[in-house]
């Protein structure tokens, strides 16, 4: 059957090898793009709308799961989401997590027999009159799968748990400003920095948002977007725009914060 695919793998030789292996296992498959990082994968997938995504689990900028979540957040409502295949060197525990969420995967180095099984599953899933069952491709189902996988995939292993941060050390000109965490309304990723916003001030820190989130109390700070952590008690209202997207109004700040589809379930009761 005819289908279109996008490959995202940061190692050029592995990217080329996967493309060649797919050409042998699925000659009718058209590789519409082959990229080396997660941000490019999201951009090209939105532009080209492929049927299948082969995403490496670890890539610069965005890993495969994070790129899939970013893509799903921007994917047109009502359009079937591409079938996702993760290319990974993870251990058995992680693979069991993928299987539990019905996410297909390929182990590095990719073996021809395993690739053939994946191709056959994809062909059945993409067939025009595919039977009920299999991996759902609607956005709600995709988001539910990714929500189960992303928390564990996003955290780096630590030798021992660290206590939650109570003070943020932030740059303010030539000084180091000590900002009590209790005064912070939200954190927002900005290039190589994280913006720290209180009711009256803004500071910059160099700690990555992912690492910072692991040091904050999850009951106090909610992740509402890939690049945003917001204090739950600072949220005054959650409103939908004409496109159905959620935006948060905070107490003490004039700007609104966008909520990605991945985290919209936090506000269903609102």
């Amino acid at each position: 059957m005819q289908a279109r695919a996008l490959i995202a793998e940061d190692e050029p030789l592995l990217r080329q090898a996967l493309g060649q292996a797919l050409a042998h296992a699925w000659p009718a498959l058209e590789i519409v793009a082959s990229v080396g990082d997660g941000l490019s994968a999201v951009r090209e997938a939105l532009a080209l709308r492929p049927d299948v995504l082969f995403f490496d689990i670890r890539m610069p900028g965005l890993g495969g799961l994070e790129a899939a979540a970013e893509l799903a957040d921007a994917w047109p409502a009502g359009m079937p989401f591409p079938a996702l295949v993760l290319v990974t060197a993870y251990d058995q525990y992680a693979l069991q997590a993928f299987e539990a969420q019905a996410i297909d995967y390929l182990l590095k180095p990719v073996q021809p027999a395993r690739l053939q099984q994946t191709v056959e599953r994809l062909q059945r899933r993409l067939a025009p009159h595919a039977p009920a069952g299999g991996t759902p491709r609607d956005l709600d189902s995709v988001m539910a799968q990714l929500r189960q996988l992303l928390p564990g995939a996003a955290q780096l292993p630590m030798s021992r748990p660290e206590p939650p941060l109570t003070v943020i050390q932030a740059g303010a000109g030539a000084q180091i400003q000590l900002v009590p965490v209790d005064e912070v309304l939200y954190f927002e990723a900005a290039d190589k920095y994280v913006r720290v916003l209180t009711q009256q001030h803004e500071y910059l820190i160099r700690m990555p948002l992912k690492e910072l989130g692991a040091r904050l109390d999850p009951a106090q700070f909610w992740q509402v977007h890939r690049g945003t952590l917001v204090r739950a008690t600072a949220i005054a209202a959650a409103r939908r725009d004409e496109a159905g997207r959620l935006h948060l109004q905070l107490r003490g700040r004039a700007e609104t914060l966008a909520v990605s589809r991945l985290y919209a379930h936090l506000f269903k009761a609102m």
Side-chain angles (χ1 to χ4, degrees):
M1 63 170 294
Q2 294 286 338
R4 302 163 73 247
L6 183 149
I7 296 174
E9 162 65 64
D10 65 323
E11 298 183 45
L13 292 179
L14 293 180
R15 188 163 68 241
Q16 182 180 10
L18 179 57
Q20 292 173 345
L22 282 167
H24 179 75
W26 193 350
L29 181 68
E30 179 187 0
I31 307 298
V32 294
S34 185
V35 299
D37 64 89
L39 289 174
S40 296
V42 173
R43 183 181 64 249
E44 293 299 314
L46 285 173
L48 299 171
R49 309 279 175 85
D51 303 297
V52 186
L53 307 170
F54 292 91
F55 278 7
D56 183 15
I57 199 73
R58 291 190 183 277
M59 292 185 288
L62 293 177
L65 286 170
E66 295 160 321
E70 188 83 356
L71 178 60
D73 187 52
W75 197 254
M79 178 175 290
F81 193 74
L84 175 63
V85 180
L86 295 174
V87 185
T88 175
Y90 270 17
D91 60 20
Q92 189 58 38
Y93 177 80
L95 299 184
Q96 289 171 355
F98 297 155
E99 289 173 346
Q101 295 303 317
I103 297 287
D104 206 349
Y105 63 87
L106 292 169
L107 278 176
K108 296 180 183 180
V110 175
Q111 301 299 316
R114 170 65 172 152
L115 179 60
Q116 191 62 51
Q117 292 175 358
T118 296
V119 165
E120 291 172 2
R121 279 196 294 269
L122 290 170
Q123 289 174 336
R124 289 194 297 269
R125 192 178 309 161
L126 298 173
H129 303 292
T135 304
R137 297 176 61 199
D138 62 279
L139 285 174
D140 287 344
S141 298
V142 170
M143 288 298 185
Q145 291 171 324
L146 294 174
R147 273 195 292 270
Q148 293 300 315
L149 291 168
L150 271 168
Q155 294 178 5
L156 299 176
M158 293 184 176
S159 57
R160 62 180 184 276
E162 298 186 59
L165 288 173
T166 58
V167 174
I168 300 293
Q169 297 185 27
Q175 297 182 343
I176 299 296
Q177 188 79 31
L178 300 182
V179 184
V181 170
D182 288 344
E183 295 181 7
V184 178
L185 300 185
Y186 71 97
F187 299 92
E188 184 177 60
D191 296 327
K192 297 180 180 179
Y193 297 90
V194 168
R195 299 171 65 214
V196 181
L197 286 300
T198 67
Q199 186 167 343
Q200 301 291 338
H201 301 287
E202 174 180 338
Y203 308 93
L204 293 176
I205 60 175
R206 275 191 172 272
M207 180 183 292
L209 190 70
K210 186 184 297 184
E211 182 180 338
L212 174 64
R215 297 289 312 279
L216 297 172
D217 183 349
Q220 293 187 22
F221 286 91
W222 295 359
Q223 184 143 18
V224 298
H225 193 278
R226 179 174 61 87
T228 311
L229 295 168
V230 62
R231 178 180 292 280
T233 55
I235 300 172
R239 297 187 175 89
R240 291 190 183 277
D241 61 19
E242 294 179 355
R245 298 289 185 141
L246 276 173
H247 299 269
L248 302 181
Q249 180 66 55
L250 303 186
R251 297 181 177 89
R253 300 289 305 189
E255 67 270 26
T256 60
L257 302 181
V259 179
S260 75
R261 284 172 173 161
L262 188 65
Y263 304 104
H265 68 289
L266 296 171
F267 304 96
K268 280 188 175 179
M270 300 177 68

